[in-house]
Amino acid sequence: MSLRVEQFVNGKWRQNCFVLSNDAGEALIVDPGSDVEKIVTLLQEHGACPLAILNTHAHYDHIGAVSGLMLKFDIPFYLNGEDGELLRRANLYKLIFDSREAVTVPDITHDLRELPASLKFGSFEVGWFATPGHTAGSVCFTVDQALFTGDTLMPNGPGRTDLPGGNPEDLQDSLERLKALPADLHLYAGHGPAARLGDALPYCERLQSA
């Protein structure tokens, strides 16, 4: 399978949505963000049919397009249920993200806590593992040599722990788990450009509290 990863930056907080596609015309959507129409356009440009939405966590800036895409394509939504309460309160937290725009809060169709660590979507094989700290339910996904870290680890360091669901001790433990992974994995984070995991790891000590 030839994996293509399209990064689409959207929203006030410059959140990354990733559209994964392959030669079979299949696609996965990771952390949709807020712009349904643009994501649909990306899929159409690749002639790809989305099979599922996978979210690394449930903060407001990452989930705005989920409901619209679920409705448009009749596809499931995968999230760690540890972030269920955070998801339900997304519109209460919108002011934290300096926004007045309400989002349609989706239902979790597949709780990652109830699923094996390796998932199959068409020709895609997706691994996932819990990385709490930025939120209680934060996870990372692996597809081939690609690692999707959400806001757990970005190219310039770890995510914040002062937002709803944050815990610095948990995040430090999660970063130790990431340090054990191959350094040459392609890092695709919730914010910032793509990078090598090994290039981001030296910043792991820089926990952000603000």
Side-chain angles (χ1 to χ4, degrees):
M1 180 189 74
S2 177
L3 176 67
R4 293 183 294 271
V5 179
E6 184 92 21
Q7 178 175 315
F8 163 52
V9 180
N10 64 100
K12 180 180 179 66
W13 289 90
R14 308 290 291 166
Q15 182 269 333
N16 289 330
C17 165
F18 297 101
V19 174
L20 287 59
S21 59
N22 61 31
D23 294 337
E26 302 164 332
L28 295 172
I29 304 167
V30 177
D31 286 350
S34 58
D35 194 329
V36 173
E37 292 184 3
K38 178 62 174 179
I39 296 169
V40 170
T41 298
L42 289 176
L43 290 162
Q44 292 172 340
E45 288 175 351
H46 291 298
C49 178
L51 304 178
I53 299 166
L54 311 176
N55 261 63
T56 59
H57 65 293
H59 274 156
Y60 172 89
D61 57 328
H62 288 251
I63 58 98
V66 173
S67 289
L69 292 167
M70 291 175 72
L71 182 63
K72 172 75 175 178
F73 296 108
D74 190 24
I75 52 177
F77 173 45
Y78 288 71
L79 180 76
N80 184 346
E82 293 292 335
D83 267 6
E85 188 63 23
L86 191 62
L87 179 68
R88 288 187 288 273
R89 293 173 176 250
N91 286 314
L92 294 178
Y93 294 135
K94 64 181 182 290
L95 293 180
I96 295 175
F97 293 90
D98 197 23
S99 176
R100 296 182 181 277
E101 183 178 348
V103 299
T104 301
V105 176
D107 292 324
I108 304 171
T109 62
H110 292 73
D111 186 340
L112 290 169
R113 295 177 300 182
E114 302 171 356
L115 300 174
S118 180
L119 306 172
K120 184 81 170 175
F121 302 94
S123 302
F124 293 104
E125 293 186 7
V126 179
W128 76 273
F129 53 96
T131 51
H134 180 66
T135 69
S138 286
V139 305
C140 292
F141 296 106
T142 57
V143 185
D144 292 346
Q145 293 299 302
L147 172 67
F148 300 89
T149 56
D151 291 1
T152 296
L153 177 64
M154 290 169 279
N156 63 345
R160 295 170 60 166
T161 58
D162 62 333
L163 297 172
N167 183 296
E169 290 79 17
D170 287 347
L171 182 56
Q172 193 63 63
D173 289 343
S174 294
L175 294 174
E176 291 301 318
R177 184 167 191 181
L178 291 178
K179 290 177 184 179
L181 298 178
D184 60 350
L185 287 176
H186 301 292
L187 175 70
Y188 297 100
H191 304 267
R196 285 179 66 256
L197 175 60
D199 293 333
L201 288 175
Y203 299 101
C204 277
E205 306 306 321
R206 190 186 299 169
L207 286 182
Q208 299 178 28
S209 61

